[in-house]
């Protein structure tokens, strides 16, 4: 009986130890399952991160391409603007030259006009002087005709025909 009792205790010990081993195996299995689940979640997260990184890389490449296009368009626009400015400066320089030439021509025309006015004034004064001389000469001839001092003229009309018209003299 003592031996049976020892065997029974030993059996109970083995059962308890087996149950502990089963519990440890269950714990290890649960820990492995939890670790496997964590590993699976980490793999899913890594895959999602990889996909996000790929999308970001594609977006970055698109942005770089857009930036390159923008830079090229900006460069072309700047070159076109520089060309327009250059053309405008050329037109401005030509207009300035034309304006200077027109101003010079206007000054020359004004000088010619002034000279013509002076000449016209001198001609007018000479004409007036000739008219005055003709008038005086006609009066003298008319008075001589009235007193008979000049046998060639019979009246003042004939006398006035002897003195030439100042306009005809100027025309000659």
């Amino acid at each position: 009986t003592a031996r049976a009792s020892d065997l029974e205790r030993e059996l109970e010990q083995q059962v308890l130890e087996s149950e502990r081993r089963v519990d440890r195996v269950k714990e290890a299995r649960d820990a492995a399952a939890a670790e496997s689940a964590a590993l699976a979640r980490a793999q899913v997260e890594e895959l999602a991160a990889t996909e996000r990184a790929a999308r970001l890389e594609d977006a970055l490449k698109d942005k770089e391409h857009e930036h390159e296009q923008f830079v090229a368009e900006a460069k072309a626009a700047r070159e076109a603007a520089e060309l327009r400015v250059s053309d405008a400066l050329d037109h401005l320089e030509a207009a300035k030259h034309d304006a200077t030439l027109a101003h010079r021509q206007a000054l020359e025309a004004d000088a010619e006009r002034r000279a013509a006015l002076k000449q016209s004034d001198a001609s007018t004064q000479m004409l007036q002087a000739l008219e005055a001389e003709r008038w005086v000469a006609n009066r003298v001839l008319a008075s001589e005709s009235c007193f008979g001092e000049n046998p060639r003229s019979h009246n003042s009309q004939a006398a006035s025909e002897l003195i030439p018209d100042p306009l005809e003299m100027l025309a000659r």
Side-chain angles (χ1 to χ4, degrees), residues 10 22 26 43-44 54 67 69 72 80 89 110 125 130-131 143 151 153 155 171:
E10 196 175 310
V22 167
K26 283 183 183 178
Q43 288 175 339
V44 166
H67 177 72
Q69 280 184 314
L89 288 175
D110 188 51
Q125 289 173 357
L130 287 173
E131 281 288 335
S143 67
S153 65
N155 58 35

Side-chain angles (χ1 to χ4, degrees), residues 78-91:
R78 186 189 74 224
E79 289 171 355
E82 288 173 352
L83 184 60
R84 285 193 304 273
V85 166
S86 177
D87 288 346
L89 288 175
D90 291 345
H91 289 304

Side-chain angles (χ1 to χ4, degrees), residues 105-120:
Q105 289 172 346
L107 290 175
E108 290 171 0
D110 188 51
E112 290 174 5
R113 183 186 60 81
R114 288 179 188 204
L117 281 174
K118 285 180 184 177
Q119 185 177 7
S120 174

